[in-house]
Amino acid sequence: MAFQRLTGHSRYMTFPSAGTIAAGSAAQFDESGEVVIAATDKTIVGINLAAATSSTNASLDIIDHGSIWRCTTFTGTYAATHIGKVCTIDAGLTPDIDTTTNADATIVNGDAVGNTYVDLVFNNAGLVRTEAGAA
């Protein structure tokens, strides 16, 4: 799996899938209300738990505020100086830890010795909702 939850509370939900979504990839809603692989600079709903296609439903672990996610596949070489910096998530699967263009996630930890993982908090994440009093 590309992304794996480290902290926060898992909340599993199922949605119709608009296309092929790999297990462990970040997912977003499309214009039809179906889930697809997340594009950069979009609201990420959750992480897909198992491979899904347009003829199946996608089961997602919904991203909650402040949850930390580990990714073992990423572009770049992690160093402690990355902590607190934003990065771009390419094609719903691969954080590019040296690209800040879309600020999809914030780096909170990583493996500076073996360069085997980075830990992230998604910046634009969660189900779309309306709250009383929110602007």
Side-chain angles (χ1 to χ4, degrees):
M1 284 187 130
F3 291 100
Q4 190 171 27
R5 181 185 288 278
L6 292 182
T7 67
H9 299 285
S10 292
R11 179 177 172 208
Y12 304 112
M13 296 184 77
T14 302
F15 301 98
S17 173
T20 302
I21 305 176
S25 62
Q28 72 180 56
F29 287 117
D30 69 3
E31 294 79 12
S32 301
E34 297 179 324
V35 292
V36 294
I37 290 180
T40 58
D41 201 22
K42 297 291 183 180
T43 298
I44 298 170
V45 176
I47 304 301
N48 192 36
L49 300 173
T53 65
S54 59
S55 62
T56 63
N57 288 331
S59 294
L60 305 180
D61 186 354
I62 303 301
I63 296 172
D64 56 335
H65 180 72
S67 60
I68 298 174
W69 297 81
R70 176 161 290 173
C71 192
T72 56
T73 304
F74 57 94
T75 302
T77 301
Y78 175 80
T81 55
H82 282 93
I83 293 174
K85 293 185 178 180
V86 296
C87 67
T88 295
I89 309 288
D90 294 326
L93 287 168
T94 311
D96 184 339
I97 64 173
D98 294 319
T99 300
T100 62
T101 308
N102 295 314
D104 296 316
T106 300
I107 300 166
V108 296
N109 195 15
D111 176 13
V113 176
N115 200 45
T116 59
Y117 67 86
V118 292
D119 297 339
L120 311 165
V121 173
F122 289 98
N123 296 329
N124 300 313
L127 292 172
V128 176
R129 59 185 178 168
T130 303
E131 296 180 54

